Amino acid sequence: MSAPDTALEKNKIPNQEPFYLSFGDPEPVLNQDITSSLGCFFNSYQEYYEPPISFDGLNKMTHANPYHSTSLFFKRNQMVMMLKPNSLLGLADFQRLALDYLTFGNAFALAVRNYLGQIIKLRHIPALNMRKGKQGKYYQLREGLLEPIEFKKGEILHAMNYCTGQSLYGVPEWFSGMHAALLNSEATLFRRRYYLNGAHVGFILYTSDPNITPEYKEALTEQLRQGKGVGNFRSMFVNIPNGKENAVQIIKVGEINQKDEFEKIKNISADDVIVAHRVPPALAGVKPTNTGGFGDIEKINTVYQQNEVFPMTLPFKELNEQLNGPIRIVFREPKINTGI
């Protein structure tokens, strides 16, 4: 074997076995079955029960999806309209209680008593940091290393949406639509990154000209670095002098305008969120896709108040059983649709 052949043999790249990367099955958002977390565990160090669902997570969900947030605020407003405010419970406190109830499935009110021990005022206590303890006690968590504020039995009135998995905390009715709300949000965030990036899908700039000078390569590389939105979709410059055709390739696995089906994802997930909240599209701010619209909105609103809003006030009416004063929580009766 000649010397050139020997050198060529040494530099020859050995044959390699083909390999591939495999990605696992899609994981749920919470990394587990969402219903498996519906259990309350006693925190022996702090003397209270942990809620079945993270209150902090539910609070962040409020801002994750426009259909979800607008449904919460719309239902809150509907409940407030049905309240007959009095000295026991005013509009401001009930507005906050109603939003807590819809967001967390729980609402907490501080009972203010007179010198006879009668409850004369209900004040809103934010549900985000409230925890239930034993023997009717409640605790309000505080930031840092501060000890929680303890409320003795009878100081806190608790309205909740009953959960079949446990009876200590409520669970919001819309919880089944959580994944749809997050999918809608994540699709929007991905689309934002796509539009903020100037190159959109990115690319590999491949050249094989041996006459390209280092100065030109540096100038070309700098132009790529200055591309809009660097970091979302990266581009690459490769120069292989006298390289063979197709030595470097990029195989597109999908294009956002064809494979991602952004509009379909947004519409389907939005429908799921609205269904989870059971808010008619005509009242949820949804744009009709047909020329006829959604029908008579006044009739839709009347039926909605009768079938949905009034039942949502029942947990607050049940608080009247715990009141020992002369004043009660009162709601306006909805206009019954007899169909005549």
Side-chain angles (χ1 to χ4, degrees), residues 203-270:
F203 60 87
I204 294 178
L205 179 60
Y206 168 56
T207 63
S208 59
D209 187 353
N211 298 319
I212 293 181
T213 63
E215 293 78 11
Y216 182 78
K217 287 192 295 183
E218 179 62 28
L220 187 59
T221 303
E222 182 61 27
Q223 290 294 322
L224 290 178
R225 289 198 191 103
Q226 295 177 3
K228 184 179 179 182
V230 175
N232 290 329
F233 298 85
R234 295 185 179 278
S235 302
M236 182 183 297
F237 169 54
V238 177
N239 180 51
I240 303 177
N242 297 318
K244 295 182 179 179
E245 183 180 2
N246 297 329
V248 177
Q249 301 182 55
I250 179 170
I251 302 176
K252 295 184 179 181
V253 296
E255 296 182 2
I256 192 168
N257 61 338
Q258 296 178 359
K259 304 299 182 181
D260 186 64
E261 299 181 343
F262 174 75
E263 184 176 358
K264 184 179 293 185
I265 292 174
K266 292 284 291 183
N267 292 337
I268 293 176
S269 58

Side-chain angles (χ1 to χ4, degrees), residues 1-12:
M1 182 180 295
S2 62
D5 292 337
T6 303
L8 182 62
E9 186 69 23
K10 289 182 179 180
N11 295 329
K12 183 179 180 181

Side-chain angles (χ1 to χ4, degrees), residues 63-67 180-196 233 256 260-263 265-267 269-270:
H63 313 287
N65 179 277
Y67 291 103
L182 291 175
L183 174 62
N184 193 293
S185 174
E186 289 163 359
T188 302
L189 290 175
F190 178 81
R191 194 72 167 189
R192 284 184 58 198
R193 293 191 182 98
Y194 172 74
Y195 277 109
L196 287 173
F233 298 85
I256 192 168
D260 186 64
E261 299 181 343
F262 174 75
E263 184 176 358
I265 292 174
K266 292 284 291 183
N267 292 337
S269 58

Side-chain angles (χ1 to χ4, degrees), residues 45-335:
Y45 177 73
Q46 297 288 359
E47 298 294 325
Y48 58 74
Y49 291 95
E50 297 287 352
I53 309 170
S54 168
F55 281 5
D56 183 60
L58 294 176
N59 180 58
K60 292 178 180 178
M61 280 289 299
T62 305
H63 313 287
N65 179 277
Y67 291 103
H68 173 55
S69 62
T70 193
S71 296
L72 288 174
F73 295 131
F74 171 74
K75 292 162 72 174
R76 184 271 315 271
N77 293 341
Q78 291 286 303
M79 294 177 67
V80 171
M81 288 173 58
M82 300 193 72
L83 176 72
K84 290 184 177 181
N86 52 31
S87 60
L88 176 70
L89 183 59
L91 285 176
D93 282 292
F94 181 69
Q95 186 181 47
R96 294 173 176 84
L97 288 169
L99 186 58
D100 276 352
Y101 174 77
L102 295 169
T103 302
F104 305 104
N106 300 269
F108 301 90
L110 175 65
V112 180
R113 300 176 184 270
N114 61 13
Y115 66 94
L116 296 176
Q118 297 175 326
I119 299 177
I120 59 173
K121 187 72 175 178
L122 294 178
R123 298 192 181 278
H124 167 256
I125 298 291
L128 178 61
N129 295 323
M130 289 298 293
R131 301 293 183 267
K132 190 172 185 177
K134 292 182 177 181
Q135 300 177 348
K137 295 181 179 180
Y138 286 86
Y139 298 87
Q140 184 179 34
L141 307 185
R142 297 192 288 177
E143 294 183 359
L145 301 177
L146 297 176
E147 290 293 325
I149 299 175
E150 179 181 334
F151 297 94
K152 299 186 182 302
K153 183 178 181 179
E155 289 187 297
I156 295 294
L157 272 62
H158 183 187
M160 68 179 188
N161 182 50
Y162 172 68
C163 171
T164 58
Q166 43 78 40
S167 59
L168 296 173
Y169 293 95
V171 172
E173 292 182 352
W174 56 265
F175 189 57
S176 61
M178 179 193 64
H179 287 299
L182 291 175
L183 174 62
N184 193 293
S185 174
E186 289 163 359
T188 302
L189 290 175
F190 178 81
R191 194 72 167 189
R192 284 184 58 198
R193 293 191 182 98
Y194 172 74
Y195 277 109
L196 287 173
N197 181 76
H200 297 305
V201 297
F203 60 87
I204 294 178
L205 179 60
Y206 168 56
T207 63
S208 59
D209 187 353
N211 298 319
I212 293 181
T213 63
E215 293 78 11
Y216 182 78
K217 287 192 295 183
E218 179 62 28
L220 187 59
T221 303
E222 182 61 27
Q223 290 294 322
L224 290 178
R225 289 198 191 103
Q226 295 177 3
K228 184 179 179 182
V230 175
N232 290 329
F233 298 85
R234 295 185 179 278
S235 302
M236 182 183 297
F237 169 54
V238 177
N239 180 51
I240 303 177
N242 297 318
K244 295 182 179 179
E245 183 180 2
N246 297 329
V248 177
Q249 301 182 55
I250 179 170
I251 302 176
K252 295 184 179 181
V253 296
E255 296 182 2
I256 192 168
N257 61 338
Q258 296 178 359
K259 304 299 182 181
D260 186 64
E261 299 181 343
F262 174 75
E263 184 176 358
K264 184 179 293 185
I265 292 174
K266 292 284 291 183
N267 292 337
I268 293 176
S269 58
D271 290 342
D272 287 346
V273 172
I274 294 174
V275 168
H277 278 284
R278 296 197 305 278
V279 176
L283 304 178
V286 177
K287 182 180 179 181
T289 57
N290 59 337
T291 57
F294 296 116
D296 191 334
I297 193 170
E298 292 186 1
K299 292 182 179 179
I300 293 174
N301 187 54
T302 300
V303 174
Y304 179 72
Q305 288 184 349
Q306 173 186 334
N307 296 345
E308 294 291 340
V309 181
F310 183 70
M312 287 190 294
T313 64
L314 296 181
F316 293 94
K317 295 184 69 173
E318 292 177 359
L319 296 181
N320 287 329
E321 300 176 3
Q322 304 179 45
L323 302 177
N324 58 353
I327 312 176
R328 293 290 185 266
I329 302 174
V330 183
F331 291 93
R332 297 181 177 89
E333 297 289 333
K335 181 180 179 181

